[in-house]
Amino acid sequence: MCGIIGYTGRQEAASILLEGLKRLEYRGYDSAGIAVCTQTQPVPRILKKAARVEVLSRMAKEARMGGSCGIGHTRWATHGGVSDRNAHPHLSSDGAIILAHNGVIENYVQLRNSLSALGYTFASETDTEVLANLVAMHLARLEKSGLGENLLEEAVRMALAEVEGTYGIAVLRSGHPDEIVGARKGSPLVLGVGRNENMIASDVTAFGGRMQNVVYLEDGQIVRMCRDDFVISTLSNQSVSPVLNEINWRLEDAELGSFPHFMLKEIFEQPTSLENAMRGRFSQDGSTAQFGGLNMSARELRQVDRILFLGCGTAWHACQLAKHMIERYARIPVDVEYSSEFRYRNSPLEKNTLVFTISQSGETLDTLEAQREAQRKGYRVLGISNVVGSTIARENDGGIFQHSGPEIGVASTKAFTAQVLVATMLALYFGRMRDLSFADGREMVKAFQSLPGLVSQVLGHAAEVERIAKKYADCNDFLFLGRLEMFPIALEGALKLKEISYIHAEGYPAAEMKHGPIALICPECPTVAIAMAGEMFRKCVSSIQEVKARKGPVIVITDCPDELPDGLADELLLIPSAHQCILPILTTIPLQLLSYHIAVARGCDVDKPRNLAKSVTVE
């Protein structure tokens, strides 16, 4: 959940590191730091601060760091509070090793005690400083023996053999201003390959267009790089032949442009991101979806008796939507589990179960470990992800890329709607293999193709959503209600509001209100109710009336305002009429805008909400 960057080349490292950290700040922003090696100073210069990267940049400008090799880090706190001394990079107590780390060293207490007994001291509360001292200890022993080459790499390899837990690390050695060693296990690390310069980072966005070719490191791999060369090996010292991948997104995709926040930019990018998710994925006759990366034949897919979806947070809500859509249109039983629970529950699965994982980043550790657990049990696992080259995408048995482009805002918006779209297209795909008719398939495809235009229509009401948001921005409790496939949308609406405005919000199936949550209704607790035309409309109206009878303010999202009783809604947010298969996406848009504008009205940091990070790479 932290951001790591390293650079070695012929240009000034500090500015490159700081620019990369700005691009990585969505991964963690409790504190930030850089360390730069110079030819004249035996120990690299370290600047770190419990502050945003912008503050660190001002410090670095005044310090005039110099040097053309260094590492940087932006932190999401795990071990130890948010403070200057806990910020990364960390220096070993003998001054030999400088290390930045993403992940958790689970046996750090035992290692710390052993190192303390050997005379190593600690200035922070972190597990990372333990790892820095551990590498320093092995380096000192190697230097004393006078044997071997590439001592830093070997010291890192020996230290990691003692470590339990997860890590993505970047390591410098004092007195060696053109060498960086990186390694990973359970936490992403990517190598950027340039001309007369090389980089490592936890995300390709950190490269900012500087690197066009990258190597995605696998778990248990170590890279040693200088400005003109790099070598990849394993923890057991086996050489690895690198596979170069070309970065396929534009730099401006990760730029803010004219928008005040990335979240708003990404909300308004949804017509394009949804179009990209569909491109080339419908059959010539327009009756079904098609996916090239599932790596399963139609015959194999026909043998599937049950599907299991695994995800966390917003992705879990997309999994819930997948359940509703696949069961409705394909008549295949679907289960949904939290990734974090699945690997520990020992859940019994039926023989012909197909597993799907959903993760925007493709690095969500809970989901990655759940995927590995399902594969260990012999199940085929397919993935829905946004990041080509991510660990989940590389390790699964096939899958579907969303093609949403970089999503920088911590609160997921365009990635969520693309996940829902892909899941609904899967429902069509499986349905047409079973009992969904040609005509029904054609209608669904037409609905999908109309979606970008309809989303643009909903975005055209952004000013009205902003007005409503300002009216209710001072409330400290919200309820969100929906029925059937709109219940996961209610959950997602509540989560968005919690994430970026810090308002207590809960989502419920509308009929469940009378079974307890209705006790929360009062004039100071608004209810956002989704009431769309169809079989559940009158049921939703009845639930809304229960809220109104107890003087609760009601914001209704609907596509049939004329059917609502007079005075039932205090505020209306209108959705264009559309096929049922795309309504969940259309109803999501005003909920995203509502949470965004409420957060802005409350003065919250929309793109960097407190305590959160974008890519959750710790358990």
Side-chain angles (χ1 to χ4, degrees):
M1 296 171 71
C2 306
I4 291 175
I5 187 168
Y7 172 83
T8 179
R10 287 177 166 79
Q11 299 187 43
E12 184 178 290
S15 59
I16 295 171
L17 295 174
L18 289 164
E19 184 61 32
L21 288 183
K22 288 177 184 176
R23 299 181 187 281
L24 288 174
E25 200 167 16
Y26 70 94
R27 298 180 71 94
Y29 33 85
D30 294 341
S31 58
I34 59 172
V36 175
C37 295
T38 67
Q39 296 288 345
T40 58
Q41 293 180 314
V43 178
R45 297 187 65 186
I46 299 174
L47 283 181
K48 54 184 184 177
K49 188 71 175 174
R52 298 289 172 85
V53 175
E54 182 180 353
V55 175
L56 187 69
S57 297
R58 292 198 295 267
M59 293 171 58
K61 187 175 182 180
E62 295 173 1
R64 298 184 179 183
M65 300 285 284
S68 57
C69 177
I71 61 176
H73 187 270
T74 181
R75 183 176 186 242
W76 185 85
T78 53
H79 293 67
V82 180
S83 65
D84 291 353
R85 67 192 181 101
N86 288 333
H88 300 212
H90 284 284
L91 179 68
S92 62
S93 62
D94 63 3
I97 294 296
I98 306 90
L99 187 146
H101 167 229
N102 181 17
V104 173
I105 306 303
E106 296 176 356
N107 60 332
Y108 83 101
V109 173
Q110 298 93 315
L111 292 173
R112 182 174 178 137
N113 291 339
S114 298
L115 289 163
S116 295
L118 295 173
Y120 289 89
T121 60
F122 299 87
S124 76
E125 306 165 272
T126 68
D127 55 338
T128 300
E129 191 182 10
V130 174
L131 185 53
N133 277 329
L134 185 63
V135 174
M137 181 199 74
H138 284 290
L139 179 63
R141 291 178 176 176
L142 288 169
E143 290 175 330
K144 187 175 181 179
S145 71
L147 299 175
E149 299 177 349
N150 305 319
L151 298 187
L152 177 59
E153 177 187 351
E154 188 58 29
V156 169
R157 180 177 286 109
M158 294 171 71
L160 295 179
E162 298 185 46
V163 163
E164 296 174 10
T166 60
Y167 50 81
I169 58 172
V171 190
L172 296 174
R173 180 185 178 190
S174 294
H176 291 72
D178 182 34
E179 182 183 28
I180 299 175
V181 170
R184 68 155 290 178
K185 178 186 175 185
S187 190
L189 203 64
V190 58
L191 168 69
V193 181
R195 188 172 183 177
N196 300 321
E197 58 182 5
N198 290 307
M199 298 181 72
I200 56 172
S202 47
D203 192 318
V204 294
T205 57
F207 299 147
R210 180 174 291 274
M211 301 285 137
Q212 294 303 312
N213 293 304
V214 299
V215 178
Y216 296 99
L217 297 183
E218 303 286 351
D219 271 1
Q221 290 184 348
I222 297 177
V223 60
R224 174 174 49 84
M225 68 180 199
C226 302
R227 66 184 63 174
D228 296 317
D229 194 16
F230 68 89
V231 177
I232 301 174
S233 58
T234 66
L235 282 177
S236 59
N237 205 15
Q238 300 296 311
S239 62
V240 174
S241 298
V243 177
L244 289 179
N245 297 269
E246 187 175 352
I247 297 176
N248 60 1
W249 53 269
R250 303 169 302 166
L251 177 60
E252 53 265 35
D253 291 338
E255 298 287 351
L256 193 56
S258 60
F259 288 89
H261 299 99
F262 278 107
M263 182 177 179
L264 187 63
K265 174 179 181 279
E266 288 154 6
I267 288 172
F268 275 85
E269 285 176 342
Q270 287 174 111
T272 300
S273 63
L274 293 166
E275 181 71 40
N276 290 340
M278 288 186 287
R279 185 171 289 114
R281 286 176 168 164
F282 295 121
S283 61
Q284 277 193 329
D285 63 5
S287 72
T288 189
Q290 56 188 20
F291 301 101
L294 297 183
N295 299 331
M296 293 181 70
S297 67
R299 183 180 299 275
E300 289 175 310
L301 290 167
R302 282 284 301 175
Q303 302 302 313
V304 173
D305 294 327
R306 182 173 291 271
I307 299 174
L308 171 65
F309 276 87
L310 301 169
C312 303
T314 285
W316 186 82
H317 296 156
C319 292
Q320 291 287 348
L321 257 300
K323 172 181 174 66
H324 281 277
M325 293 303 182
I326 291 174
E327 289 185 344
R328 176 186 292 270
Y329 295 111
R331 308 296 298 159
I332 302 173
V334 177
D335 296 316
V336 177
E337 293 218 27
Y338 287 106
S339 300
S340 56
E341 295 293 301
F342 171 75
R343 63 183 294 217
Y344 297 109
R345 270 190 1 96
N346 196 26
S347 176
L349 299 179
E350 295 183 11
K351 179 181 178 181
N352 294 323
T353 297
L354 178 63
V355 180
F356 275 91
T357 58
I358 300 183
S359 167
Q360 186 280 138
S361 67
E363 301 291 351
T364 309
L365 186 59
D366 285 324
T367 301
L368 174 60
E369 292 298 340
Q371 172 172 293
R372 290 168 173 169
E373 178 67 13
Q375 289 172 318
R376 274 192 291 268
K377 292 181 175 180
Y379 291 93
R380 191 186 295 258
V381 182
L382 307 180
I384 298 173
S385 179
N386 189 36
V387 181
V388 176
S390 63
T391 307
I392 287 176
R394 294 199 309 273
E395 291 192 12
N396 61 31
D397 301 302
I400 304 166
F401 288 114
Q402 302 166 214
H403 301 303
S404 302
E407 187 179 67
I408 307 301
V410 168
S412 182
T413 52
K414 66 177 182 178
F416 171 72
T417 52
Q419 289 166 352
V420 172
L421 174 59
V422 168
T424 310
M425 291 169 65
L426 275 172
L428 167 63
Y429 181 65
F430 284 119
R432 288 287 288 126
M433 286 184 177
R434 287 166 165 79
D435 9 346
L436 193 69
S437 71
F438 178 85
D440 287 340
R442 288 285 296 268
E443 287 302 309
M444 289 182 69
V445 170
K446 289 178 183 177
F448 291 135
Q449 292 170 333
S450 72
L451 184 56
L454 293 175
V455 169
S456 294
Q457 287 184 38
V458 178
L459 289 170
H461 298 293
E464 176 64 10
V465 180
E466 182 177 7
R467 180 193 66 79
I468 295 171
K470 289 178 178 178
K471 180 177 178 180
Y472 295 100
D474 291 333
C475 297
N476 292 316
D477 297 280
F478 269 76
L479 293 175
F480 291 75
L481 305 181
R483 294 293 298 268
L484 299 181
E485 66 269 18
M486 295 304 170
F487 168 48
I489 299 302
L491 291 173
E492 175 63 12
L495 178 61
K496 283 293 156 285
L497 193 61
K498 283 184 277 195
E499 284 180 321
I500 63 170
S501 70
Y502 322 136
I503 292 173
H504 172 250
E506 301 291 343
Y508 289 99
E512 287 298 304
M513 282 294 293
K514 58 184 175 290
H515 297 293
I518 200 167
L520 300 173
I521 298 298
C522 66
E524 293 76 35
C525 178
T527 295
V528 181
I530 305 171
M532 310 303 286
E535 57 185 334
M536 287 289 111
F537 179 75
R538 295 187 183 278
K539 304 292 186 184
C540 291
V541 167
S542 296
S543 297
I544 296 170
Q545 287 173 327
E546 292 170 358
V547 174
K548 287 295 293 181
R550 288 155 180 85
K551 305 188 185 306
V554 178
I555 303 167
V556 177
I557 299 175
T558 186
D559 59 352
C560 51
D562 295 339
E563 300 297 321
L564 291 172
D566 291 340
L568 183 65
D570 295 279
E571 307 289 348
L572 276 177
L573 292 173
L574 302 183
I575 300 298
S577 297
H579 193 288
Q580 192 169 12
C581 70
I582 62 172
L583 282 177
I585 295 174
L586 294 177
T587 55
T588 297
I589 309 302
L591 294 177
Q592 294 173 345
L593 288 168
L594 184 67
S595 63
Y596 169 80
H597 286 296
I598 287 177
V600 170
R602 291 168 71 96
C604 299
D605 192 340
V606 173
D607 286 335
K608 300 180 181 69
R610 70 187 185 200
N611 304 333
L612 297 181
K614 181 71 174 174
S615 181
V616 185
T617 56
V618 297
E619 282 196 80

